[in-house]
Amino acid sequence: MEKTIKQLKKELKEALEKVNDLKSLNDVRVSFLGKKGKITLLKEQLKELSVANKKTVGKMFNDFREEATNLIAEQEVSLQKEALDKQLLAEKIDITLPASQLKTGSFHPLELINDEIISLFVSMGYDVVRGPEIETDKYNFERLNIPKDHPARDMQDSFYITSKHILRTQTSPIQVRMMEKNYEKGPIRMIAPGKVYRKDDDDATHSHQFMQIEALVIDENISLAHLKGTLEVTMQKLFGGTRNIRFRPSYFPFTEPSLEVDVSCFKCDGVGCAFCKESGWLEVLGAGMVHPTVLQMSGYDNKKYSGFAFGIGIERIAMLKYGINDIREFYQNHWHFLDLFKRIDKEGY
Ligand code: DAH
């Protein structure tokens, strides 16, 4: 019996030396300490010993079983540690690696101009209003003093939806809607941003859809001087410096007098350069004094009230300000184009 214990001790040591993972360790445990394991079976033989032998050999057996249990447990702990170390090494994160770059978006140039103009006019106490993109012939044309067969309709060839409904060709109908809504027929100060549509063939300077901001001021004693001052402030905000404004006579059916507005070139400060074709001026928008007939058609007393109005083309301003030569750039959304505006915040240059 004693011999057998010694033999098993040797066998166990050898078996444990060969163990290299938790699974093979468990196999050893089962083969020695399991239900039918070598040590467990040896216990059966203890019963057959004489009482005197039982005492000494029994102790020896118990010591050996305890030793075997401990040896296996120790090896288990060290194998577990080894496995954990291996896992930690495999999953190690190098915190000194540079982080992958986050791609951020940028404001669209049209959005930048639109917001700049809106925040300027809001700061001067104007209301920002919106109107429908599908307009009636009445508001888009007739109430703006453009009756059927008027040649001005050709200038704004329209997309018809029904015989009476079109995609608006300008933001000017919002003026009429505001005047009509104002039941007191008193002062108005508003701007109206939005998309407009014309049946144009798309090329570098034309688009069948573009953006405008309409402005309308009505009060007693409003004059061209108010219009000029307002536009000067607007152009200074958009193009920086002290910009000069020049009025050129023009024609719009809904204003009298009607003007086209030039701003002194922001590249050469009005001296003359290639950008302004040596003229020192850049053409920016249409404007005028609200036609008395337009006031009257919306129920205003045109003896008491007068007003000015203008319509800014957002694309035109953005093209001038950012030196963009092709209007189609705005709608293609190529990332390398949009990326150019990344560093420009909503108020800056
Ligand atoms: N609606 C005109 C256009 O689209 C622009 C315009 C000119 C608007 C004169 C106005 C204005 O309010 O007074 O061409």
Side-chain angles (χ1 to χ4, degrees), residues 34-215:
K35 260 190 195 155
K36 288 180 183 154
K38 291 170 186 168
I39 297 178
T40 317
L41 292 178
L42 194 63
K43 198 179 175 191
E44 295 298 314
Q45 294 178 29
L46 279 177
K47 291 177 197 156
E48 289 152 29
L49 293 175
S50 65
V51 179
N53 269 351
K54 237 183 213 169
K55 225 179 178 183
T56 53
V57 179
K59 184 174 180 324
M60 198 173 162
F61 172 82
N62 283 339
D63 288 349
F64 171 50
R65 198 171 55 175
E66 199 181 321
E67 188 187 346
T69 310
N70 287 342
L71 280 175
I72 291 172
E74 270 167 32
Q75 191 137 348
E76 188 174 21
V77 169
S78 88
L79 279 174
Q80 274 170 347
K81 189 177 174 303
E82 215 171 272
L84 183 66
D85 285 349
K86 224 190 219 169
Q87 192 189 355
L88 287 177
L89 197 70
E91 292 174 5
K92 191 177 164 191
I93 298 167
D94 183 352
I95 56 164
T96 64
L97 274 179
S100 52
Q101 284 255 293
L102 271 184
K103 272 224 172 274
T104 53
S106 49
F107 289 110
H108 193 281
L110 296 178
E111 172 81 358
L112 289 167
I113 302 287
N114 209 41
D115 274 16
E116 220 175 312
I117 297 175
I118 290 173
S119 67
L120 171 68
F121 280 87
V122 165
S123 78
M124 296 194 292
Y126 283 60
D127 291 325
V128 181
V129 295
R130 310 258 169 190
E133 286 182 29
I134 296 175
E135 246 322 346
T136 55
D137 189 273
K138 172 178 145 190
Y139 288 110
N140 196 82
F141 291 126
E142 281 174 38
R143 294 284 288 275
L144 283 161
N145 204 24
I146 317 174
K148 293 222 160 49
D149 306 323
H150 193 288
R153 289 203 180 203
D154 296 342
M155 285 159 52
Q156 300 187 2
D157 209 355
S158 330
F159 288 111
Y160 274 86
I161 290 172
T162 69
S163 59
K164 284 193 182 126
H165 293 90
I166 55 166
L167 291 179
R168 68 181 175 205
T169 60
Q170 48 186 348
T171 41
S172 303
I174 307 172
Q175 291 185 20
V176 179
R177 288 182 174 274
M178 279 302 283
M179 285 192 273
E180 200 176 69
K181 248 199 227 161
N182 188 333
Y183 295 115
E184 289 163 9
K185 303 298 166 198
I188 291 180
R189 244 185 311 176
M190 58 143 253
I191 55 163
K195 278 185 232 157
V196 300
Y197 303 85
R198 290 184 197 175
K199 232 166 148 185
D200 267 331
D201 288 329
D202 292 353
D203 61 24
T205 51
H206 295 87
S207 167
H208 63 279
Q209 176 210 295
F210 55 99
M211 287 168 74
Q212 287 188 333
I213 291 188
E214 191 76 14

